[in-house]
Amino acid sequence: FRDTWWRRQAGLEIINYIQINQKKNEAINLLDVATGTGLSLEEMFKIFKLFNVKVSATGLDYNNKMLAEAKNVTYERMKKNGSLEKGIREIRFTKGDARNLTHTTDNSLETFPKESFDATTIMFGIGGVDSPLQAIKEQLLLLKQDGILVITDIHKPIIELNEKWPWFIGKKYVDAFLENVNWEVVEENFKKAQ
């Protein structure tokens, strides 16, 4: 259940952002990119309910089957457990491309105005985007001046980034960690599954 903790931690990061920026009385506009079935939003909303946070969230994904699951299962479960409340904690799911959040020529994909979100999150989804840096750049364009971007993922190393490894892996264990994660096998199995 470590992923559940990480998803809730993203909610706590947004609450920290709210406190630092004195936005307690404002509704936070949140975009969850690569939302999949909406599990990250479901766990964040448990935290938002606990702290009585006002939030309007959009869960965005490219996959129609995932979005159908988010709308028909996760959303209904959130309504049932009281995580959603009209005018206080609202959520919607929509189709979009993580690499093209501000513009696209495909009318079936939603785009958003620049600087329109207080927070964007991408939880365990960046590895599924073929241009991860482009997706991150697009999210940054959507953030307001004081906005927060929360990324939590286990992904193939992005060579262009000088990434920092978590303290529990540390420099001492990075090579061993990378040797045991054979990304080529992961990618090959993913392609076969499609």
Side-chain angles (χ1 to χ4, degrees), residues 170-186:
K171 290 183 180 179
K172 181 177 177 183
Y173 300 108
V174 167
D175 291 335
F177 178 76
L178 290 176
E179 285 175 18
N180 290 310
V181 178
N182 187 336
W183 293 105
E184 286 72 27
V185 171
V186 171

Side-chain angles (χ1 to χ4, degrees), residues 53-173:
V53 171
K54 297 176 186 172
V55 62
S56 174
T58 302
L60 178 129
D61 205 281
Y62 191 79
N63 185 303
N64 288 322
K65 288 182 181 178
M66 293 284 207
L67 286 171
E69 183 85 7
K71 292 173 185 175
N72 299 324
V73 178
T74 307
Y75 180 82
E76 292 303 319
R77 189 171 53 230
M78 291 174 73
K79 276 187 1 185
K80 189 182 246 184
N81 72 24
S83 293
L84 302 175
E85 186 177 342
K86 190 158 181 69
I88 305 293
R89 287 179 307 281
E90 296 181 333
I91 189 170
R92 70 184 185 91
F93 293 99
T94 189
K95 185 172 182 176
D97 182 351
R99 302 162 306 167
N100 298 298
L101 296 171
T102 57
H103 63 283
T104 185
T105 57
D106 185 342
N107 291 334
S108 71
L109 303 174
E110 187 164 354
T111 59
F112 307 93
K114 292 180 182 179
E115 297 185 27
S116 57
F117 289 94
D118 298 289
T120 64
T121 58
I122 185 163
M123 307 291 295
F124 313 109
I126 201 75
V129 178
D130 64 359
S131 298
L133 289 180
Q134 180 62 29
I136 293 168
K137 287 177 186 176
E138 285 288 305
Q139 288 178 70
L140 291 172
L141 288 173
L142 294 182
L143 287 175
K144 295 177 182 176
Q145 283 282 332
D146 61 354
I148 180 175
L149 166 61
V150 179
I151 302 173
T152 302
D153 215 316
I154 300 171
H155 60 87
K156 181 177 182 176
I158 301 170
I159 295 170
E160 297 88 356
L161 296 179
N162 181 17
E163 295 183 287
K164 304 284 187 241
W165 290 89
W167 64 269
F168 54 86
I169 295 175
K171 290 183 180 179
K172 181 177 177 183
Y173 300 108

Side-chain angles (χ1 to χ4, degrees), residues 1-78:
F1 296 103
R2 174 111 6 165
D3 67 307
T4 300
W5 184 86
W6 286 333
R7 294 173 204 277
R8 290 179 184 175
Q9 182 63 38
L12 291 170
E13 292 294 335
I14 293 168
I15 288 170
N16 188 45
Y17 157 81
I18 291 168
Q19 291 172 341
I20 289 171
N21 291 284
Q22 300 172 353
K23 294 187 177 218
K24 178 76 172 131
N25 297 322
E26 298 176 32
I28 298 302
N29 202 8
L30 166 65
L31 175 67
D32 185 43
V33 177
T35 199
T37 62
L39 292 178
S40 295
L41 286 171
E42 182 177 22
E43 295 303 328
M44 283 187 263
F45 267 64
K46 288 176 183 175
I47 299 298
F48 298 153
K49 180 182 177 185
L50 185 66
F51 286 86
N52 197 29
V53 171
K54 297 176 186 172
V55 62
S56 174
T58 302
L60 178 129
D61 205 281
Y62 191 79
N63 185 303
N64 288 322
K65 288 182 181 178
M66 293 284 207
L67 286 171
E69 183 85 7
K71 292 173 185 175
N72 299 324
V73 178
T74 307
Y75 180 82
E76 292 303 319
R77 189 171 53 230
M78 291 174 73

